[in-house]
Amino acid sequence: MLNPNAPTSDTAPQDALLRPASERRDPIPMKIDAFKVACSSCNLRELCLPVGLSQPQLTQLDTLVGARKSVKRGDALFHTGDSFKSVYAVRTGFFKTRISSEDGRDQVTGFQMAGELLGLDGISTDRHACDAIALEDSQVCVIPYSQLEELSREFSDLQHQFHKIMSREIVRDHGVMLLLGSMRAEERLAAFLLNLTQRLHARGFSASALVLRMTREEIGSYLGLKLETVSRTFSKFQDEGLLEVKQRDIRITDEPGLKALVNSVRC
Amino acid sequence: MLNPNAPTSDTAPQDALLRPASERRDPIPMKIDAFKVACSSCNLRELCLPVGLSQPQLTQLDTLVGARKSVKRGDALFHTGDSFKSVYAVRTGFFKTRISSEDGRDQVTGFQMAGELLGLDGISTDRHACDAIALEDSQVCVIPYSQLEELSREFSDLQHQFHKIMSREIVRDHGVMLLLGSMRAEERLAAFLLNLTQRLHARGFSASALVLRMTREEIGSYLGLKLETVSRTFSKFQDEGLLEVKQRDIRITDEPGLKALVNSVRC
DNA sequence: CGCTAGTTTGACCTACATCAACCTACGTGG
DNA sequence: CCACGTAGGTTGATGTAGGTCAAACTAGCG
């Protein structure tokens, strides 16, 4: 199979959306304005902000999500210090967020895929607190924040869903702290791969094969490891029969083995 | 000075609130119900949920904050898995939050002092996702979450302040990731101490002297270090003239030196 | 076809962990 | 009031996971 991130047959609700933008063909828009986004007809609505909303609420939400924005691979959706106006929902593509310390070290704080929100850090100071960089040509839905607040005052379902998303980010961050604070390299990488595949699976992709959109260095930055350690750990996993690794193409050949790594203390 | 956490003379808005509960004497409550809390008259209102609210809004908020709850040193305010009903504002005392992995390792994810909110992690799944443990006898204000959502649909200021608090937690967590992912032991401890004193200072305490409410092990867990390393690093800082350390009593004698440590790359 | 960015692998080094002994302070009961 | 127990803290000796430095390999891409 050419694309190992191809959707599995059982769950493939939005395959088209997860291919590179160049391959994608939009469904006929429900509105006349072809550049207008419609959450109500979006294949990601079960993963994104609209989760749990009724049809009339969705129609309202459509009025809020103003436009799509394309971001080329390597370009930033926003930078640290940019004034905060909107949050963004990833529609297609893949992002990383990173923060930098004064002395130039930086830390990747997350990888975002279709249906996930970017920019929540900006609410606290009205300025973005990280850089969001596209790891492949991507498209996001622009959600003007003041309008989101407004609409979520009207619809408690939307309000609650938004709070859930923020809370989920906090819980995720605490999980990463546990990983960074107490796991060894193998456990970190195993946890990372299982997290990625689990999220891809929720989007209709294979749970056992994936194409990494990020470099070893970016993985290392996220996991608090050097790129050489990431590379060596991949090789080790391959030697042990847990994975097949061909550069960025990964196939998980022993998922229970990987899971055991994450849950076990040492050895 | 007996209590090195004593408020400085210039900014001492709520000294009484930050002493152990046993020493504290409440102001005469504005409501007849002595157990009722009044945000409108709380000395922490400039640090807590009410930031930026008008007087009438504060009065509304008073109806929401139902009760105080006392938590003895060592006891849990809530545990992982407890059903989520409320968030809590620390009124007096000091807490830690921690998460545990299946294999028993745990990670301290934060330390909370007066005016800070606990329990935001619970929104995502309707169950608390961490344990909150009092590090000294403490008191919290109970804020029923459904009512908070309701009221924040009425008052956009409250809504925005609540969002800011959640966003700030996300930004803080990302900072901790940077610390855990790329700083060395000395930098971590220096950053930790500076963060603590900065927060204590915002509450009217000295910026240079503090009493740690947590053990070396808890500091280590938060910073991704072993307790011996924390202890050694304290000793090293003392030898270098950055700190005076007497068990949990810390006096910062060279703040610029500490700050330089955090901002410099190596050495 | 040659450049460049990314990756792999090896040899060596170091910051921190581990293990262990001892010290300190405080609370409890005699 | 003292003595003893215990939880927490310090310090030393040694081990090791992962960092650092370096060289070679691979795959796109102009």
Coordinates of all heavy atoms in Angstrom, one line a residue, chain B residues 4-5 12 15-16 19 44 65 73 87 95 111 119 124 127 129 133 145 147 154 156-157 206 213 245 247 254:
Chain B
P4 N 9.4 33.9 57.9 CA 10.1 34.6 56.7 C 9.1 34.7 55.5 O 9.4 35.4 54.6 CB 11.2 33.6 56.4 CG 11.0 32.4 57.2 CD 9.8 32.6 58.1
N5 N 7.9 34.1 55.6 CA 6.9 34.3 54.6 C 6.0 35.5 55.0 O 5.0 35.7 54.4 CB 6.0 33.1 54.4 CG 6.7 32.1 53.5 OD1 7.8 32.3 53.1 ND2 5.9 31.1 53.1
A12 N 0.6 44.2 51.1 CA 0.2 43.2 52.1 C -1.3 43.1 52.2 O -1.9 43.4 53.2 CB 0.8 43.4 53.5
D15 N -2.5 39.3 54.2 CA -1.6 38.5 55.0 C -2.3 37.5 55.9 O -1.9 36.3 55.9 CB -0.8 39.5 55.9 CG -1.7 40.4 56.7 OD1 -2.8 40.7 56.2 OD2 -1.3 40.9 57.7
A16 N -3.4 37.9 56.5 CA -4.1 37.0 57.4 C -4.5 35.7 56.6 O -4.5 34.6 57.2 CB -5.4 37.7 57.9
R19 N -1.7 32.9 56.4 CA -1.2 32.2 57.6 C -1.9 30.8 57.7 O -3.0 30.7 57.2 CB -1.4 33.0 58.9 CG -0.6 34.3 58.9 CD -0.4 34.8 60.3 NE -0.3 36.2 60.2 CZ -1.2 37.1 60.6 NH1 -2.3 36.7 61.1 NH2 -1.0 38.4 60.5
L44 N -8.6 37.9 48.3 CA -7.9 37.3 47.2 C -8.6 37.7 45.9 O -8.2 37.1 44.8 CB -7.9 35.8 47.4 CG -7.0 35.3 48.5 CD1 -7.4 33.8 48.8 CD2 -5.6 35.4 48.1
V65 N -20.5 30.7 44.9 CA -19.5 30.1 45.7 C -20.2 29.6 47.0 O -20.5 30.4 47.9 CB -18.4 31.0 46.0 CG1 -17.3 30.3 46.9 CG2 -17.7 31.5 44.7
R73 N -3.8 18.9 56.6 CA -2.5 18.6 56.0 C -2.4 17.1 55.7 O -2.7 16.2 56.6 CB -1.4 19.0 57.0 CG 0.0 18.6 56.7 CD 0.9 18.8 57.9 NE 2.0 18.0 57.8 CZ 3.3 18.4 57.6 NH1 3.5 19.7 57.6 NH2 4.3 17.6 57.5
V87 N -15.1 23.1 40.9 CA -13.7 23.5 41.0 C -13.5 24.2 42.4 O -14.5 24.5 43.0 CB -13.2 24.4 39.8 CG1 -13.3 23.7 38.5 CG2 -14.0 25.7 39.8
F95 N -1.4 23.4 48.3 CA -1.7 22.0 47.8 C -0.6 21.6 46.8 O 0.1 22.4 46.3 CB -3.0 22.1 47.1 CG -4.2 22.1 48.0 CD1 -4.7 23.3 48.6 CD2 -4.9 21.0 48.3 CE1 -5.8 23.4 49.4 CE2 -6.0 21.0 49.2 CZ -6.5 22.2 49.7
F111 N 2.0 22.9 42.3 CA 1.7 23.4 43.7 C 0.8 24.6 43.6 O 1.1 25.5 42.8 CB 3.1 23.7 44.3 CG 4.0 22.6 44.5 CD1 5.1 22.5 43.6 CD2 3.8 21.6 45.4 CE1 6.0 21.4 43.7 CE2 4.7 20.5 45.5 CZ 5.8 20.4 44.7
G119 N -8.8 21.6 40.1 CA -9.8 20.8 39.6 C -10.2 20.9 38.2 O -11.1 20.3 37.7
S124 N -12.8 17.7 31.5 CA -12.7 16.9 30.3 C -13.5 15.6 30.3 O -14.0 15.2 29.3 CB -11.3 16.7 29.9 OG -10.7 15.6 30.6
R127 N -14.6 13.4 35.5 CA -14.0 12.8 36.7 C -12.6 13.5 36.9 O -12.0 13.9 35.9 CB -13.7 11.3 36.4 CG -14.9 10.5 36.1 CD -14.9 9.1 36.7 NE -16.3 8.6 36.8 CZ -17.0 8.6 37.9 NH1 -16.5 8.9 39.0 NH2 -18.2 8.1 37.9
A129 N -8.8 14.0 37.3 CA -7.8 13.3 36.6 C -6.5 13.4 37.4 O -5.4 13.0 36.9 CB -7.5 13.9 35.2
I133 N -3.7 17.2 47.1 CA -3.3 16.9 48.5 C -2.9 18.2 49.2 O -2.1 18.9 48.6 CB -2.1 15.9 48.5 CG1 -2.3 14.7 47.6 CG2 -1.9 15.4 50.0 CD1 -3.4 13.7 48.0
Y145 N -19.4 23.6 39.5 CA -19.0 23.9 38.1 C -20.2 24.2 37.2 O -20.1 25.1 36.4 CB -18.2 22.7 37.6 CG -17.9 22.9 36.1 CD1 -17.0 23.9 35.8 CD2 -18.4 22.1 35.1 CE1 -16.7 24.2 34.4 CE2 -18.1 22.4 33.8 CZ -17.3 23.4 33.5 OH -17.0 23.6 32.2
Q147 N -22.9 25.6 38.0 CA -23.3 27.0 38.2 C -22.3 28.0 37.7 O -22.7 29.1 37.3 CB -23.5 27.2 39.7 CG -24.7 26.4 40.3 CD -24.8 26.6 41.8 OE1 -24.7 27.7 42.4 NE2 -25.0 25.5 42.5
E154 N -23.9 34.3 31.6 CA -24.5 35.7 31.8 C -23.5 36.8 31.8 O -23.8 37.9 31.3 CB -25.2 35.7 33.2 CG -26.7 35.2 33.2 CD -27.3 35.2 34.6 OE1 -27.3 36.3 35.1 OE2 -27.6 34.1 35.1
S156 N -20.0 38.0 30.6 CA -18.9 37.7 29.7 C -17.5 38.0 30.4 O -16.5 37.3 30.1 CB -18.9 38.6 28.5 OG -18.8 39.9 28.8
D157 N -17.5 38.9 31.4 CA -16.3 39.2 32.1 C -15.8 37.9 32.9 O -14.7 37.6 33.0 CB -16.4 40.3 33.1 CG -16.5 41.7 32.4 OD1 -16.1 41.7 31.2 OD2 -16.9 42.7 33.0
S206 N 7.5 38.3 51.2 CA 8.9 38.6 50.8 C 9.2 37.9 49.5 O 8.8 36.8 49.3 CB 9.8 38.2 51.9 OG 11.1 38.2 51.4
R213 N 6.8 24.4 51.6 CA 5.7 23.6 52.2 C 5.8 22.1 51.8 O 5.0 21.3 52.2 CB 4.3 24.1 51.8 CG 4.1 25.6 52.1 CD 4.3 25.8 53.6 NE 3.9 27.2 54.0 CZ 4.1 27.7 55.2 NH1 4.7 27.0 56.1 NH2 3.8 28.9 55.4
V245 N 20.2 28.0 53.1 CA 19.2 26.9 53.2 C 19.3 26.3 54.6 O 20.4 25.9 55.1 CB 19.6 25.7 52.2 CG1 18.5 24.6 52.3 CG2 19.7 26.3 50.8
Q247 N 17.1 23.6 56.1 CA 15.9 22.7 55.9 C 14.9 23.3 54.9 O 15.3 23.6 53.8 CB 15.2 22.3 57.2 CG 16.2 21.8 58.3 CD 16.5 20.3 58.1 OE1 17.6 19.9 57.9 NE2 15.4 19.5 58.1
D254 N 21.2 35.9 46.5 CA 21.7 36.4 45.2 C 20.7 36.1 44.1 O 20.9 35.2 43.3 CB 23.1 35.8 44.9 CG 23.7 36.3 43.6 OD1 23.1 37.3 43.0 OD2 24.7 35.8 43.1

